Amino acid sequence: AGHQEVLEGVERGLIEGQWEHPERRSRRFYSLTDLGREELERLLPGASEALDALDATIGQIKAELGP
């Protein structure tokens, strides 16, 4: 995910971030909140269908282009 998606997730309470070393702000690690896990479960079935459709489309394009 890009920076904007991460920020939007934080704003919506879907993810939370923590600094690896808060005193020197080295790396920031993000994890899903309970609300984020619920949203992921809600979105997964649709995402799977969308990925299957995309895979089929890519397969058709490859077949048209040939070896």
Side-chain angles (χ1 to χ4, degrees):
H3 290 95
Q4 186 62 31
E5 290 86 3
V6 170
L7 292 174
E8 289 171 359
V10 170
E11 290 173 0
R12 294 175 42 209
L14 302 177
I15 59 175
E16 59 188 4
Q18 293 182 338
W19 292 104
E20 180 181 30
H21 301 287
E23 65 280 356
R24 56 177 203 240
R25 295 174 53 119
S26 54
R27 292 188 290 180
R28 191 152 174 86
F29 292 93
Y30 293 92
S31 59
L32 292 174
T33 62
D34 289 341
L35 182 61
R37 280 187 280 285
E38 290 173 13
E39 183 70 0
L40 177 62
E41 290 299 318
R42 185 185 73 77
L43 293 173
L44 279 178
S48 180
E49 291 173 16
L51 289 172
D52 288 345
L54 181 59
D55 184 49
T57 301
I58 291 172
Q60 291 172 349
I61 293 169
K62 286 182 174 181
E64 290 177 15
L65 294 174

